[in-house]
């Protein structure tokens, strides 16, 4: 597919906006991550903590109004399980009402809510008894999901049970970078299995309860598509080293959902209650693709050395900027699932807002390429609105259209936000970002 030469229109009724997650923006949450952040020495870049995060919990009305004023028509956010169920079986009515109000405000200002039930974090009491590997985690998640659907099920159409199950399993249980900071292949497989069962039980609960409340729930996971490509295509060892991580990370969960079974290598193909029919659409998070080379020194990683494609420009997270990968991802997922696709995250870490305008334009053009080639793409939710807490990176990675003054918490629009607003308002994607926004962009980043 060649580079677009003229501007192009987004499909009718296209959802366009931003995505956030409770722990990264709200502040004041007591969960497994806030406990992790308090460790000494800090496992978080520059010792970042979410004590205040960006204070979205008290500023959500103004924040949502700001997104609507910027012509966005959809918004993805997550409900914090630890707030709703601070101790096992004890539910906090005020916390539920808060999220009820978030949904109401979204509707009032014209933002279609896309609601995530679990975005990486867990209540501490659940983490302490095994977290996503605990045998009763699926039942507990279903109970919490049903309660959420009971309160907001009539007003919410788009649901995400679990954000990026594969990322959580790898980061928490293989790489050990996130809580519970384990480095064990066995535990990683158990984490994958636990998340699959949680998704199945949660999807069933949301479908049932929302229907009882007169809602029409569309349920998915937010799947992180990050292809693991061999560094050297002609090298058999690189190809072999890439094949398994690529399958496990990008396909195992989805194919298990589509077949209704816990597929090998995590299961033996046994049926999982609720899994069949648990995807009404597919949430797609896309940032980049990785390249894999065979490394005999890494048996614990199954000999796969993962890197960013050296041939491409990079973001300030070092992730390769690869819009063609988004077109490939959407088409592959469309052919694999035949489900409507909703881009639930896509964005760039960009210290000085030099990359973002071109990134957004190029990635939206990649979306339109996929649409032209037949994929059913319903929307695009950019990661993210406001610079926020980026997990182990703390506040050092800046993904937002607005910067946030960490003293006053004031939000300041970055230049790229004007371009996004124009796209949201007009429904038209330019062929290229205007020069004044890209003056020093991709080439300069690529030269690093
Ligand atoms: C994704 C996460 C999201 C955010 C972006 C940069 O993997 O879902 O919370 O941190 O990466």
């Amino acid at each position: 597919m060649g580079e677009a030469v003229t501007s192009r229109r987004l499909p009718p009724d296209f959802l366009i906006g931003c995505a956030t997650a409770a722990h990264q923006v709200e502040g004041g949450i007591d969960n497994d991550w806030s406990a992790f952040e308090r460790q000494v020495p800090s496992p978080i870049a520059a010792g970042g903590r979410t004590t205040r995060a960006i204070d979205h919990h008290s500023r959500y009305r103004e924040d949502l109004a700001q997104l609507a004023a910027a012509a966005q028509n959809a918004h993805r956010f997550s409900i914090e399980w630890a707030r709703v169920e601070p101790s096992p079986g004890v539910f906090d009515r005020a916390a539920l009402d808060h999220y009820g109000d978030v949904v109401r405000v979204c509707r009032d200002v014209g933002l279609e809510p896309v609601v995530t039930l679990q975005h990486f974090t867990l209540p501490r009491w659940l983490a302490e008894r095994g977290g996503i590997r605990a045998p009763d985690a699926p039942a507990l998640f279903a109970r919490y999901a049903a309660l959420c659907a009971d309160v907001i099920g009539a007003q919410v159409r788009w649901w995400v049970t679990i954000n990026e199950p594969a990322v959580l399993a790898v980061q928490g249980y293989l790489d050990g970078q996130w809580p519970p900071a384990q480095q064990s292949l066995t535990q990683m497989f158990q984490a994958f299995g636990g998340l699959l069962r949680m998704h199945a039980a949660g999807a069933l609960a949301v479908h049932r309860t929302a229907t009882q409340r007169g809602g029409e729930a569309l349920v998915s996971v937010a799947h992180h598509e990050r292809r693991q490509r061999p560094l050297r295509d002609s090298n058999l060892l690189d190809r072999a080293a890439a094949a398994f991580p690529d399958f496990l990370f990008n396909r195992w969960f989805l194919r298990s959902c589509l077949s209704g079974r816990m597929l090998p290598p995590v299961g033996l193909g046994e049926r999982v209650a609720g899994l069949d029919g648990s995807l009404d659409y597919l949430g797609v998070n896309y940032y980049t693709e990785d390249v894999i080379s065979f490394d005999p020194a890494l048996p614990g990683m199954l000999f796969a050395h993962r890197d960013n494609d050296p041939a491409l420009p990079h973001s300030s997270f070092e992730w390769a900027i690869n819009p063609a990968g988004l077109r490939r991802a959407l088409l592959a997922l469309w052919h694999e699932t035949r489900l409507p696709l909703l881009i639930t995250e896509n964005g760039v870490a960009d210290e000085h807002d030099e990359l973002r305008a071109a990134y957004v334009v190029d990635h939206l053009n990649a979306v339109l390429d996929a649409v032209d080639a037949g994929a059913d793409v319903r929307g695009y939710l950019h990661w993210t609105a406001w610079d926020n807490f980026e997990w182990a990176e703390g506040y050092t990675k800046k993904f937002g259209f607005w910067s946030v003054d960490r003293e006053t918490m004031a939000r300041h629009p970055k230049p790229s936000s004007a371009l996004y607003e124009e796209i949201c308002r007009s429904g038209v994607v330019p062929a290229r970002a205007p020069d004044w926004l890209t003056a020093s962009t991709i080439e300069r980043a690529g030269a690093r």
Side-chain angles (χ1 to χ4, degrees), residues 247-284:
F247 168 73
L248 188 67
F249 194 85
N250 292 305
R251 288 295 170 273
W252 176 83
F253 199 97
L254 292 184
R255 289 188 186 159
S256 294
C257 287
L258 295 173
S259 67
R261 294 172 185 278
M262 176 93 63
L263 296 181
V266 180
L268 297 169
E270 61 275 30
R271 285 214 157 272
V272 175
L275 198 53
D276 222 1
S278 65
L279 297 178
D280 300 305
Y281 73 99
L282 187 64
V284 182

Side-chain angles (χ1 to χ4, degrees), residues 160-221:
V160 172
T161 51
I162 292 174
N163 182 66
E164 300 187 345
V167 173
L168 179 50
V170 170
Q171 295 284 85
Y173 294 88
L174 185 67
D175 287 353
Q177 304 281 326
W178 293 0
Q182 299 302 306
Q183 291 183 305
S184 150
L185 265 179
T186 314
Q187 288 197 30
M188 180 191 68
F189 285 134
Q190 291 166 349
F192 268 103
L195 287 164
L196 188 73
R197 290 188 194 282
M198 285 170 69
H199 161 71
L204 199 60
V206 170
H207 276 137
R208 274 196 189 137
T209 313
T211 312
Q212 284 162 10
R213 294 285 158 270
E216 188 213 345
L218 300 176
V219 179
S220 178
V221 286

Side-chain angles (χ1 to χ4, degrees), residues 1 19 57 71-72 93 116 120 189 214 241 256 262 269 284 299 303 309 326 331-332 344 377 399 414 426 442:
M1 235 34 64
H57 194 259
Q72 301 184 18
R93 188 69 229 181
T116 307
F120 295 153
F189 285 134
S256 294
M262 176 93 63
V284 182
F303 306 106
D309 191 334
L326 177 55
L331 286 173
T344 34
V377 186
F399 279 87
K414 302 180 189 177
S426 63
I442 300 209

Side-chain angles (χ1 to χ4, degrees), residues 24 119-120 163-164 224 285 287 345 383 390-391 399:
Q24 296 178 266
H119 195 120
F120 295 153
N163 182 66
E164 300 187 345
H224 188 123
N285 293 0
Y287 289 88
E345 287 182 30
W383 187 271
E390 282 297 337
W391 309 111
F399 279 87

Side-chain angles (χ1 to χ4, degrees), residues 103 107 112-115 152-159 210 215-217:
V103 170
R107 288 265 172 242
E112 177 76 31
V114 178
V115 178
I152 57 175
Q155 289 90 36
V156 173
R157 202 157 175 248
W158 299 87
W159 293 83
E216 188 213 345

Side-chain angles (χ1 to χ4, degrees), residues 9 23 31 69 77 85-86 110 119 123 178 242 325 434:
R9 207 156 248 298
H23 189 77
N31 60 16
F77 67 92
E85 191 175 358
H119 195 120
W178 293 0

